[in-house]
Amino acid sequence: MDNLNPSPDLRVNIGRLELANPVMTASGTFGYGREFSSFVDLDRIGAIVVKGISLEPRAGNPPPRVVETPCGMLNAIGLENVGVEQFLVRKLPFLQQIKCKVLVNILGDSVEEYVALARHLSGHQGIDGLEINISCPNVKKGGVAFGTSPEMAAAVTAAVKAATDLPVIVKLSPNVTDIVTMAKAVEDGGADGISLINTLIGMAIDATTRRPRLGNIIGGLSGPAIKPVALRMVWQVASNVRIPVIGIGGIGTTEDAIEFLLAGASAVQVGTANFYAPSAADTIRQGLADYLSDQPEESLGELIGSLIIEDGS
Amino acid sequence: MDNLNPSPDLRVNIGRLELANPVMTASGTFGYGREFSSFVDLDRIGAIVVKGISLEPRAGNPPPRVVETPCGMLNAIGLENVGVEQFLVRKLPFLQQIKCKVLVNILGDSVEEYVALARHLSGHQGIDGLEINISCPNVKKGGVAFGTSPEMAAAVTAAVKAATDLPVIVKLSPNVTDIVTMAKAVEDGGADGISLINTLIGMAIDATTRRPRLGNIIGGLSGPAIKPVALRMVWQVASNVRIPVIGIGGIGTTEDAIEFLLAGASAVQVGTANFYAPSAADTIRQGLADYLSDQPEESLGELIGSLIIEDGS
Amino acid sequence: MSKFQVTSPIRSCSQLTPDIIRVSLLAPTIARAARPGQFVMVAAGSSRDPLLRRPFSIHNVTADGEVVLLYKIVGQGTRLLAQLRVGQSIDLVGPLGKGFSLSPDTPACLVGGGMGIAPLLFLAKALCSSPRPQEHAILLGARTRDELAPLVEDFRELGYPVHAATDDGSYGHHGFVTELFQEHSTPAHEVCVCGPTPLMAAIARQCLQAGNRCQASLETHMACGLGACLGCTIQAQGGGYKHVCKHGPVFDANEVLWTI
Amino acid sequence: MSKFQVTSPIRSCSQLTPDIIRVSLLAPTIARAARPGQFVMVAAGSSRDPLLRRPFSIHNVTADGEVVLLYKIVGQGTRLLAQLRVGQSIDLVGPLGKGFSLSPDTPACLVGGGMGIAPLLFLAKALCSSPRPQEHAILLGARTRDELAPLVEDFRELGYPVHAATDDGSYGHHGFVTELFQEHSTPAHEVCVCGPTPLMAAIARQCLQAGNRCQASLETHMACGLGACLGCTIQAQGGGYKHVCKHGPVFDANEVLWTI
Ligand SMILES: Cc1cc2nc3c(=O)[nH]c(=O)nc-3n(C[C@H](O)[C@H](O)[C@H](O)COP(=O)(O)OP(=O)(O)OC[C@H]3O[C@@H](n4cnc5c(N)ncnc54)[C@H](O)[C@@H]3O)c2cc1C
Ligand SMILES: Cc1cc2nc3c(=O)[nH]c(=O)nc-3n(C[C@H](O)[C@H](O)[C@H](O)COP(=O)(O)OP(=O)(O)OC[C@H]3O[C@@H](n4cnc5c(N)ncnc54)[C@H](O)[C@@H]3O)c2cc1C
Ligand SMILES: Cc1cc2nc3c(=O)[nH]c(=O)nc-3n(C[C@H](O)[C@H](O)[C@H](O)COP(=O)(O)O)c2cc1C
Ligand SMILES: Cc1cc2nc3c(=O)[nH]c(=O)nc-3n(C[C@H](O)[C@H](O)[C@H](O)COP(=O)(O)O)c2cc1C
Ligand code: FES
Ligand code: FES
C-alpha cells in the first residue's frame, strides 16, 4: 500500500521561530545538547531548550536530589547552573555548531534579573529564543512564585519582551488554580508562545528512616505520571489563547506527542523520557514523520488542535 | 526476637470521631461497603466513606467514564448516586450492621443543598460523620468550584456545621495554587477535620480516533501517580492547621500509609487501590499493626507527624 | 454470590494463533462458584503500570478446579500476560457479574464473534445436560480459519453441530455470522450472543423483530469489576445507565440502548 | 568517549547466593569501549514502573563482546532483572562515567566491600598486564562466606593472592576489610576502594594520613547517568558539588567531602 503522504512536512512555527519539526527537548533534561549527541541526531530535532540559566552561577540543592516515584520522578536540583557568563563561554560554542534551534531557559529572583539575562543573551549567533521559567520565587514580592500570580507573570513577560528581540516563550507552572488566567496574562504581556507544564510540586518520604527522600524536602514531579494533567492544561490553554502552545509533561512516545498536538500544542518538549530513553527525541521525530506519511494531512500543522469533540453529549 | 510492642494501639481520633485504626476507604472507591465484603473484614477497618450523595439522584456522565493512565486512572463518573432518600432506605441498613465507622460524603450545587443534606443525614444510627466534597461547582456562583475559593469553602463548612451535630470533615481539592489557605479557611469555618486530596484534573486522548478517551473529556486523576502531590499537600496542611488531617492519594501499601502518617496525617483513605487490590484496606490495617509491633512507639498516635527534618541543610 | 481473590498457578497454556492464547489457571474456589457468562478480573503483573486489572470471560472451568481463559493480545496488559509461563501465577478476582440465564428445556442459539466466543464454550458445556441438546444451534464467526477452527473443534467435541463463518472465507461460510443466524435460528430459540458490538446490535434487532428472547454479553472499560467505581456504564433502553460488571455483563438485549 | 544504547541478549546468568546474581550480556560496542570503574544504566523491564534505569558497575568484559554485571537484589528494579532468563534481553546504556586511573608501574591496593567488589574484578584484570602484578594487594570483605567466596575465586584465577574478611568470620579474617588494609597496604600502594560509604571514608582517611593516593568509586541516586539531570550530586572537598555520573563514579578521595 502506498503511503498517502510520502514526504510529510513537519515544520511548525512558534511565532517567528520556525522549527524543522515539533520535537524539542525540555529544559533541565537534555543538558546542553552535547550529553545526548551519542543518542540523538542534534541536527534533526526541532529545538533544544537548555538547562535554566541565571545571572550568577548557582550551586543547587543538597543531595539527594532525585527520587523515583510511581511512573515518575521528583527532582530538587535547585536550579544548579553555570551562570550566564560561563554559559556563553563554555556551552554556547558547541550549540552554535548544530543545526537545530536553541532556546535558553532563564530564571531569576526579580524582574530585573530576567531583564538582565535577556539582554546578555540577545544578539548571539546560536541563540534562537528565550524560554522564561516563571516557577521561581520573586524575592522582592515575599517569595511568591512569578508563576502563581497573573500580574507578576505578565510583568516579567512584558519586561523581557522589551529587553530583547528574540522570540520569548513563557513556561507556565501547573501548580495553580486557573491555568487559563495565567496563560492569558502572559499572552497579554506579549509572549510569543507558551510552554507548559513545568513540574507539579511533590514530596517523598522514606518510611524506614522517617526522613524526606529529597535534601530539599519537596521537589518537582515529572514523567508519565503527570501526562494527564499536562494534556488537560495544554488543551485548556490552547483553546483559550491565540499564541502557539508547546506541550510538555510525560511525553515519551510518538503517540504521546500526537496526543498533545491534537490537544492544540504546536510543538512538544521531551523531558524525563530523555533519562530513561536517551534517544526518545529522535525516535519521536521519526515516529511523527512515519505517522504523518500514513495520514490524509499533508503537513503537521493540520494536525494541531484537530481533536474531535462530539457535541451534544 | 521479641516484638517491642506486641499489641499495638492503633486507635486514632478525628475530632470526636474515634476510629479503631487509621485505615479508611475513600469515597467513590468502595461502593457502600457491601461490594467489598468478600475481601475486607468490614468490622475491622477504621471507617468507610461512602460514595458522594446528593439531594436528588444523579445519573452521572456518559461513557466512557474510566481510563487507565501511567500508574493511575482518570474517572469522570459525574457523581452518579442514588440520592439521599434512597441512600437511607437502600444502603444504610447494611452499613448499620457493620462495626466500623461510616462517613457519608456529600455534594451539592449550592450551600443550601449541602445544608439540606446534612440535616437529612443527621440523627441516623450508623452514620458517624459527614465528609463534604467541595470539588463541586457552585451553580449560584457561576460554577466556580467551592474547593477553589477559600471564602466559599469556609461558608459551606460553617453552614453544614450549623446544621448538624455530626463530625464534619472537609475534603479538599488539590487543583489550587495554595492548599494551606484552603485548609485554614475550612478550619476557620469550623471543620472537625480535613481530608485531602481529591483527584487532580486530567485528560486523555486516543491518538487513533483523535477523540478524548472520556465521555466528559476531562476527569479526575487518582492512583499511585498522584501520591507525591498528595503527600506534599498533606505535609503542608498538617504543618499549618490544628485540626486532624486525613491523607488520601495513591495509598496502596502499608509503607504508603506510614509515609502519610509521618507527614502528619491522623488517618488515611485507601482509594483507587481498592480496584486493583480489593483487600488493600485489610492488608494495610494488618500491616500497620505488624509495623507498630516492631517499633518503640506504643500507639499509632505517636507516629503521626513524626517525620524527621534535618535542619541546617 | 461469593467472590474470591486467588493467586492462581498456570497449569497449561497454548497459543492458538500468534495473538490468541488459552490459559488454564488453578483456582478451585472460583471454578466451583462460576456460572457461564461470568468473568474474572486479572492482574497483569505486579508492577503498577499497568495499574488496573483486566476483565476476561470465563471460557471454561474443569472438574479439578481450573479456570480457563481465552484471550487476544491487544495491548500492554495482554502482552504481559502472554509472557507468563506454566508454573508462574496470575492473580484473579472472581467470579464476577451476572451470567446467562436459560430455561433448561428451551432450545438455545449461541452466537459468537471473535473473542466473544470465549464465554460461549462454558455456556455450551452447561447446556449439554439439557433435555434435547441437539436442538441448540451454535453459530461462530471470526476473521480467518486460524482464529476459528480450533474453537469450533471444542464445541464439536461437546457433541454440537457448529455453523462457522469467516470474513475471508477460509473456513465455513464466507461472510458474517449474522448471515448464519438468519439461516439457522428458529423462532423457538433463546439467543445468547457475544462479540463485537455491531454484531450484537444486529442480532438483537433481528431477535426483536422475530420475537426471540436475546441475551448479549457486553464489554466496557472497567476499573473494579465489583460495582464500586461506577465506571462501566452503558446506556439503558428507556434512559439512564446500567453497569456492565454488576447488571451484566450479560443483559437482556431489550435492556440495552443499541446505538450502533 | 563513545556511548551506546544496546538491547543486549542475556548469554548466561548465575545466582551466587539467593540475592546476588551475575549476568553476562552480549553488548560488543559497550564491551570494547569500557574502562574499569565505568558503569552502565540498565532498564529494568519495559514498563514505566519502575521508570528510571539503574546504574551498575561493569564487573567484567569478555573478548567476545560480553558485558558482565554483578548485582544484589535490593528493590523493585533488581527484582525484575533477576526474573529475566537466558535469551531474553536487557537494554543497556554505556559505558558511562570516569573510571579508575592507575599508572601502570605503581603497585595498587584494591579494596572492595560487598557489591563494591563488582568493578574491582575488571580493574584487576586490566592490572594483570602491569610489570609486577604480584605487587598488587587485593582486599575483599563481605558479610558471609556465601557472599564472598565465589568472588575471591575469580580474583585468584587471575593469579592474585587475595585477603578476605567476613563480618561473621565464616571466611577469611573475622572482621572488617579496613583491618586487612592496615595490615596489607604499603606506602607505595595506589589505593582503589569501592564499597559502603563508611568503608570508603575510613580507607580514604587512612590513605590521607599515610600519604597514599586513593581513588573511591561512589554511589548516589541517578536519573540519567549522562550528566544531564544534575541529580547525582555529592559534596566536594572545599565546597560545592560534584556529579557522580560525570566527574565520577571514581573520584580521587581528596575531591570528596567525607561526611561519615
Ligand atoms: C466482561 C468482559 C469480558 C471480556 N472477556 C474477554 C475475553 O474472554 N477474551 C478477550 O480477549 N478479551 C476479553 N475482554 C476484553 C479485554 O478485557 C481487553 O481486551 C483487555 O482488557 C485489553 O487489555 P490490554 O492491556 O491488553 O489492552 P489496552 O492497552 O488496555 O487496550 C488495547 C485496546 O483495547 C481497548 N480496550 C481495553 N479494554 C477494553 C474493554 N474492557 N472494553 C473495550 N475495549 C477495551 C482499548 O481502548 C485499546 O484500544 C473482555 C472485556 C470485558 C469487559
Ligand atoms: C555508579 C554505580 C554503580 C553501581 N554498581 C552496582 C553494582 O555493580 N552492583 C550492585 O548490586 N549495585 C550497584 N549499584 C547500586 C544499584 O544501582 C542499586 O542497588 C539499584 O539501583 C537498586 O535498584 P532497585 O530498583 O532494586 O532498588 P530500589 O527499590 O530503587 O531501592 C532499594 C534501596 O536501595 C537504595 N538505592 C537505590 N538506588 C541507589 C543508588 N544508586 N545509590 C544508593 N542507594 C540506592 C534505595 O534508596 C532503597 O533504599 C551501583 C550504583 C551506582 C550509582
Ligand atoms: C531534573 C530536571 C531538571 C529540570 N530543570 C528545569 C529547568 O532548569 N528549567 C525549567 O524550566 N524546567 C526544568 N525542568 C522541568 C522540565 O523541563 C519539564 O517541564 C518537566 O520535567 C515536565 O516534563 P516531563 O514530564 O517530560 O519531564 C526540569 C525537570 C527535571 C526532571
Ligand atoms: C471512581 C472514583 C470515584 C470517586 N468518587 C468520589 C466521590 O463521590 N466523592 C469524593 O469526594 N471523592 C471521590 N473520588 C476521589 C477519591 O475518594 C480520592 O480522593 C481520590 O481517588 C484520590 O485517592 P486515590 O489515589 O487513593 O484513589 C473518587 C475517585 C474515583 C477513582
Ligand atoms: S467496573 Fe467498577 S462498577 Fe463496574
Ligand atoms: S545521573 Fe543525571 S547528571 Fe548524573
Side-chain angles (χ1 to χ4, degrees):
Chain A
M1 210 178 67
D2 281 347
N3 285 339
L4 286 173
N5 186 7
S7 54
D9 176 2
L10 294 185
R11 283 173 305 169
V12 295
N13 292 310
I14 309 294
R16 283 168 299 137
L17 190 68
E18 188 175 285
L19 309 182
N21 61 71
V23 183
M24 310 170 63
T25 58
S27 177
T29 67
F30 204 68
Y32 300 96
R34 180 174 232 151
E35 292 84 347
F36 285 82
S37 53
S38 305
F39 308 105
V40 173
D41 183 344
L42 300 177
D43 291 336
R44 297 184 72 184
I45 54 173
I48 291 176
V49 186
V50 301
K51 174 73 189 162
I53 300 287
S54 52
L55 269 186
E56 302 299 326
R58 297 202 188 190
N61 285 331
R65 287 182 174 186
V66 292
V67 55
E68 197 179 49
T69 66
C71 290
M73 63 176 278
L74 286 167
N75 87 79
I77 306 302
L79 302 172
E80 171 179 343
N81 78 94
V82 294
V84 68
E85 297 293 355
Q86 288 299 305
F87 169 73
L88 293 173
V89 174
R90 284 166 46 197
K91 307 293 180 183
L92 187 58
F94 175 81
L95 294 166
Q96 289 172 331
Q97 294 162 34
I98 57 176
K99 291 209 191 96
C100 80
K101 302 288 187 214
V102 173
L103 274 72
V104 180
N105 181 278
I106 59 173
L107 57 102
D109 286 338
S110 63
V111 173
E112 293 72 26
E113 277 191 38
Y114 281 101
V115 167
L117 278 161
R119 294 228 173 87
H120 262 291
L121 291 162
S122 299
H124 294 275
Q125 186 258 314
I127 300 181
D128 303 293
L130 300 180
E131 182 181 64
I132 315 184
N133 177 355
I134 56 170
S135 298
C136 313
N138 184 341
V139 171
K140 294 205 179 154
K141 301 274 165 146
V144 174
F146 286 97
T148 61
S149 149
E151 295 74 29
M152 293 199 306
V156 72
T157 307
V160 169
K161 274 297 285 182
T164 184
D165 286 335
L166 289 170
V168 173
I169 314 291
V170 181
K171 181 163 176 180
L172 299 185
S173 159
N175 302 290
V176 296
T177 308
D178 182 356
I179 195 74
V180 172
T181 299
M182 291 302 308
K184 286 187 169 162
V186 304
E187 179 178 42
D188 291 344
D192 297 297
I194 293 174
S195 57
L196 76 167
I197 61 174
N198 212 316
T199 53
L200 287 166
I201 306 171
M203 179 175 178
I205 291 174
D206 185 330
T208 311
T209 64
R210 299 194 182 178
R211 285 173 166 78
R213 285 190 188 267
L214 291 172
N216 190 52
I217 306 174
I218 60 173
L221 182 65
S222 64
I226 70 169
K227 193 183 110 182
V229 175
L231 202 54
R232 183 264 298 182
M233 289 190 168
V234 165
W235 178 67
Q236 289 179 324
V237 167
S239 312
N240 284 286
V241 298
R242 289 167 308 275
I243 53 177
V245 170
I246 303 170
I248 322 172
I251 298 174
T253 65
T254 305
E255 211 182 329
D256 294 334
I258 295 169
E259 290 166 25
F260 279 86
L261 296 170
L262 292 172
S266 298
V268 296
Q269 292 182 16
V270 180
T272 300
N274 295 309
F275 302 159
Y276 60 87
S279 56
D282 229 28
T283 312
I284 294 172
R285 178 193 54 73
Q286 186 58 52
L288 286 177
D290 294 347
Y291 170 80
L292 210 59
S293 70
D294 274 343
Q295 301 296 315
E297 283 83 3
E298 274 173 23
S299 75
L300 192 119
E302 296 169 55
L303 209 66
I304 297 168
S306 68
L307 183 71
I308 303 165
I309 306 243
E310 236 81 58
D311 45 37
S313 68
Chain B
M1 208 178 67
D2 280 348
N3 285 339
L4 286 173
N5 186 6
S7 54
D9 176 2
L10 294 184
R11 283 172 304 170
V12 294
N13 292 310
I14 309 292
R16 281 168 298 136
L17 191 68
E18 187 174 288
L19 309 183
N21 62 70
V23 183
M24 310 170 64
T25 57
S27 177
T29 67
F30 204 69
Y32 299 95
R34 182 175 231 151
E35 291 84 346
F36 285 81
S37 53
S38 305
F39 308 104
V40 173
D41 184 343
L42 300 176
D43 290 337
R44 298 184 70 183
I45 54 174
I48 291 176
V49 185
V50 299
K51 173 73 188 160
I53 300 287
S54 52
L55 268 186
E56 301 299 325
R58 297 201 187 191
N61 286 329
R65 288 184 174 185
V66 292
V67 55
E68 198 180 47
T69 66
C71 289
M73 63 175 278
L74 287 167
N75 87 78
I77 306 303
L79 302 170
E80 171 180 342
N81 78 93
V82 294
V84 67
E85 296 294 353
Q86 287 299 306
F87 168 74
L88 293 172
V89 175
R90 283 166 46 198
K91 307 293 181 182
L92 187 58
F94 175 81
L95 294 166
Q96 288 172 331
Q97 292 162 34
I98 58 178
K99 292 208 191 97
C100 79
K101 302 287 187 212
V102 173
L103 274 73
V104 180
N105 181 278
I106 58 173
L107 58 102
D109 288 337
S110 64
V111 173
E112 294 71 26
E113 275 191 39
Y114 282 102
V115 166
L117 278 161
R119 292 228 175 87
H120 262 290
L121 291 162
S122 300
H124 294 274
Q125 187 258 317
I127 299 180
D128 302 293
L130 301 180
E131 182 180 64
I132 315 183
N133 177 357
I134 57 171
S135 298
C136 313
N138 184 339
V139 171
K140 294 204 180 156
K141 301 273 165 146
V144 174
F146 286 98
T148 60
S149 149
E151 295 74 30
M152 291 199 307
V156 73
T157 307
V160 169
K161 274 297 285 183
T164 183
D165 287 335
L166 290 170
V168 173
I169 314 291
V170 181
K171 180 164 178 181
L172 299 185
S173 159
N175 302 290
V176 296
T177 307
D178 182 356
I179 195 75
V180 171
T181 299
M182 290 302 308
K184 285 186 170 161
V186 303
E187 179 178 41
D188 292 345
D192 297 296
I194 294 174
S195 56
L196 75 166
I197 60 175
N198 212 316
T199 53
L200 287 165
I201 306 171
M203 179 174 177
I205 292 174
D206 185 329
T208 311
T209 64
R210 299 195 182 177
R211 285 173 165 79
R213 285 191 187 268
L214 292 172
N216 189 51
I217 306 174
I218 61 172
L221 182 65
S222 64
I226 70 168
K227 194 184 110 181
V229 175
L231 202 54
R232 183 262 298 183
M233 289 189 167
V234 165
W235 178 65
Q236 289 178 324
V237 167
S239 311
N240 285 286
V241 298
R242 290 168 308 274
I243 53 177
V245 169
I246 303 169
I248 322 173
I251 298 173
T253 65
T254 304
E255 212 181 330
D256 294 335
I258 294 169
E259 291 166 27
F260 278 85
L261 295 170
L262 292 171
S266 298
V268 296
Q269 291 182 17
V270 180
T272 301
N274 295 311
F275 301 158
Y276 60 87
S279 56
D282 228 28
T283 311
I284 295 173
R285 178 194 54 74
Q286 186 58 51
L288 285 177
D290 294 347
Y291 170 80
L292 211 61
S293 70
D294 273 343
Q295 301 296 315
E297 284 84 1
E298 273 174 23
S299 75
L300 191 119
E302 296 169 55
L303 209 66
I304 296 168
S306 68
L307 182 71
I308 303 165
I309 307 246
E310 237 79 58
D311 45 36
S313 67
Chain C
M1 300 293 286
S2 317
K3 299 165 189 163
F4 306 91
Q5 180 179 359
V6 187
T7 304
S8 315
I10 300 180
R11 276 294 188 78
S12 66
C13 178
S14 64
Q15 207 159 351
L16 305 192
T17 74
D19 58 2
I20 298 181
I21 290 182
R22 177 143 54 193
V23 60
S24 267
L25 300 157
L26 186 65
T29 46
I30 297 179
R32 254 195 310 275
R35 298 288 164 264
Q38 288 190 300
F39 66 100
V40 289
M41 292 292 281
V42 173
S46 59
S47 143
R48 284 153 302 181
D49 176 49
L51 186 71
L52 301 173
R53 289 169 182 266
R54 304 300 197 238
F56 294 99
S57 300
I58 299 175
H59 178 47
N60 208 347
V61 304
T62 65
D64 54 343
E66 288 174 22
V67 170
V68 187
L69 307 179
L70 176 76
Y71 68 92
K72 188 168 197 158
I73 303 176
V74 297
Q76 196 192 0
T78 45
R79 247 190 325 270
L80 282 170
L81 283 178
Q83 283 168 16
L84 297 174
R85 298 281 161 263
V86 171
Q88 294 184 282
S89 291
I90 297 182
D91 192 276
L92 302 183
V93 169
L96 303 174
K98 197 172 74 51
F100 295 100
S101 87
L102 287 176
S103 36
D105 39 355
T106 312
C109 176
L110 314 193
V111 186
M115 284 302 100
I117 296 171
L120 299 185
L121 185 69
F122 187 17
L123 178 60
K125 213 169 82 173
L127 292 178
C128 283
S129 56
S130 60
R132 288 173 302 276
Q134 64 288 358
E135 287 180 10
H136 303 311
I138 313 254
L139 317 177
L140 306 179
R143 286 186 308 159
T144 61
R145 161 184 286 272
D146 289 356
E147 294 190 356
L148 194 54
L151 300 177
V152 167
E153 276 319 303
D154 296 326
F155 287 85
R156 293 210 170 122
E157 272 175 30
L158 291 176
Y160 293 106
V162 179
H163 303 282
T166 49
D167 297 0
D168 67 354
S170 56
Y171 186 77
H173 173 71
H174 186 167
F176 294 127
V177 74
T178 41
E179 291 151 21
L180 297 179
F181 184 73
Q182 276 164 331
E183 196 177 330
H184 299 284
S185 68
T186 72
H189 275 142
E190 285 206 25
V191 178
C192 295
V193 59
C194 185
T197 308
L199 166 68
M200 294 196 287
I203 298 289
R205 285 204 187 89
Q206 291 183 22
C207 289
L208 191 67
Q209 283 185 324
N212 293 75
R213 187 180 163 214
C214 176
Q215 299 172 59
S217 178
L218 270 59
E219 285 194 13
T220 53
H221 283 93
M222 290 185 173
C224 72
L226 300 169
C229 73
L230 308 183
C232 58
T233 8
I234 53 149
Q235 292 182 272
Q237 196 60 257
Y241 300 112
K242 300 252 177 193
H243 297 118
V244 171
C245 78
K246 193 172 135 190
H247 306 119
V250 178
F251 290 88
D252 191 300
N254 297 327
E255 295 177 86
V256 178
L257 184 70
W258 298 99
T259 52
I260 294 181
Chain D
M1 300 294 284
S2 319
K3 298 165 189 165
F4 306 92
Q5 180 179 357
V6 187
T7 304
S8 315
I10 300 179
R11 276 294 189 78
S12 66
C13 177
S14 64
Q15 206 158 352
L16 306 191
T17 74
D19 58 2
I20 299 181
I21 291 183
R22 178 141 53 190
V23 61
S24 266
L25 300 157
L26 186 65
T29 47
I30 297 180
R32 257 195 309 274
R35 299 287 163 264
Q38 288 190 298
F39 66 100
V40 289
M41 292 291 282
V42 174
S46 60
S47 142
R48 285 154 301 184
D49 176 51
L51 186 70
L52 299 174
R53 289 170 182 265
R54 304 302 197 235
F56 294 99
S57 301
I58 298 175
H59 178 47
N60 209 347
V61 303
T62 67
D64 54 341
E66 288 175 21
V67 170
V68 188
L69 307 180
L70 176 76
Y71 67 91
K72 188 167 195 160
I73 302 176
V74 296
Q76 197 192 359
T78 44
R79 244 190 327 267
L80 283 170
L81 283 179
Q83 283 169 16
L84 298 174
R85 299 281 162 264
V86 172
Q88 295 183 281
S89 291
I90 297 182
D91 191 276
L92 301 183
V93 169
L96 302 174
K98 197 172 74 50
F100 295 100
S101 87
L102 287 176
S103 38
D105 39 356
T106 313
C109 177
L110 314 195
V111 186
M115 284 301 100
I117 297 171
L120 300 184
L121 186 68
F122 187 17
L123 179 60
K125 213 169 82 173
L127 292 177
C128 283
S129 57
S130 61
R132 289 173 301 275
Q134 67 286 358
E135 287 181 10
H136 303 311
I138 313 254
L139 316 176
L140 306 179
R143 287 185 309 161
T144 61
R145 162 184 285 273
D146 289 355
E147 295 190 355
L148 194 54
L151 300 178
V152 167
E153 276 319 303
D154 297 325
F155 287 84
R156 295 210 167 122
E157 271 175 31
L158 291 175
Y160 294 106
V162 179
H163 303 282
T166 48
D167 296 359
D168 66 354
S170 55
Y171 185 76
H173 172 72
H174 185 168
F176 294 126
V177 73
T178 42
E179 293 152 20
L180 297 179
F181 183 74
Q182 278 163 332
E183 196 176 329
H184 299 284
S185 67
T186 72
H189 274 141
E190 285 206 26
V191 177
C192 295
V193 59
C194 186
T197 307
L199 166 67
M200 294 197 287
I203 299 289
R205 287 205 186 89
Q206 293 182 24
C207 289
L208 191 67
Q209 284 186 324
N212 293 73
R213 187 181 164 215
C214 176
Q215 298 171 60
S217 178
L218 269 60
E219 285 194 13
T220 52
H221 283 93
M222 290 184 173
C224 72
L226 300 169
C229 74
L230 308 182
C232 57
T233 7
I234 53 149
Q235 291 182 273
Q237 197 60 258
Y241 299 113
K242 300 251 178 197
H243 296 118
V244 171
C245 77
K246 192 173 135 187
H247 306 120
V250 178
F251 290 88
D252 190 300
N254 297 328
E255 295 176 86
V256 179
L257 183 70
W258 298 99
T259 51
I260 293 182

